[in-house]
Amino acid sequence: MSVTLLIALTATAAEPREDSRIESVFVSYGAEGSVLIWDRNANLYTGYNLERCAEGFIPASTFKIPNTLIALETGVATPETVFRWDGAGRAFKSWERDVNLAEAYRLSVVPVYQDIARRIGPERMRYYLSVLDYGDMDVSATDIDQFWLGGNSRITQYRQVNFLTRLYEGRLPVGGQAMNRTKQIMVQERGEDYVLSGKTGWATQGERDIMWYVGWLETGGNAYIFALNVEPAAGVDANDLSRVRIEMTKEIFARLEILKPAQ
C-alpha cells in the first residue's frame, strides 16, 4: 500500500513531514526504525523515516488493543473477568497467577490473550478485524491463538495510527462502552501534565527483532497518536532496546517540545 493511500486514511491530512530533531533520539538509543505521530489539533503527521512507516510488520503484543476491544464487545470478557492460572510454567513469573483483563493487558500475559482469541473464534475475529479495518491479519482456525505473533499478519505504522485515532475519538463500529473500557485499560502513566496510554510489542520477523510502542499522549489540550517501530542497531542488545522503548518515545516528544524533558 502506497504512502499516498495511507495518508488518505485520515481525511484532509496535511502532507506528512520529517522532523530532523527525532533522528538523534534513534542514534542515542541505538535504534533503527521509524516513528509516526498524528497531531490531532494540527491535523498533521510528523515523524522520522516516513517511508518505512508504510512497511508492514507483525503486530505482536500491540494486537492486545483490538483483542481487548473485541473481547469486551462480544462479551467474551469484562473488566471483572478473572483468568485463572492453570499452574503450568509460563515464560515469566509475573504471568503465573490469576489476573483480570486490565492486569493481563498491563503484564502482557500472552497465554491469557491466546485464550481470549480462542473464545472469540476465527469467524468472529475475522469479522471484527474487517469492520475495524485493522491491518492485514491472516486468521484461520489453526492459528487463531498465534496469528498476531508470527506468520503472514502485517500492519503498518500508518494503519496503527489510523486505528488508534478512531478508537481515541470513539469512531469505531462497536459499542461506546467497549471503546471506553479499552481506553481505560490502555492508560500506562499519568504525569503532572500528561497521560500516556499504549502498548508495547516484540516479534521476530525473519532474523529481525521488531519492537513496537503504540498509543497516544494527551497533554496541553491535545492528543498525539503515535506508532514507534524499532529494531536494534548493529552491536545493540535487543533486550536493552526493548526496555527503553517507552522512555525513547517520551524523549521524542521532549525533543519535539511536546513534553518537558526528563529531569
Side-chain angles (χ1 to χ4, degrees), residues 30-32 231-237:
E32 295 181 354
E231 49 194 304
V236 175
D237 186 272

Side-chain angles (χ1 to χ4, degrees), residues 3 59 89 100 107 187 231 244 250:
V3 173
N100 62 27
L107 296 170
V187 174
E231 49 194 304
V244 298
K250 291 165 65 176

Side-chain angles (χ1 to χ4, degrees), residues 26 32-34 52 57 157 210-212 227-231:
F26 278 73
E32 295 181 354
S34 45
R52 186 178 181 280
F57 295 97
Q157 286 163 266
I210 301 297
M211 302 176 192
W212 292 96
L228 176 80
N229 184 284
V230 295
E231 49 194 304

Side-chain angles (χ1 to χ4, degrees), residues 30-42:
E32 295 181 354
S34 45
V35 65
L36 184 68
I37 300 168
W38 171 246
D39 181 331
R40 290 185 71 244
N41 286 0

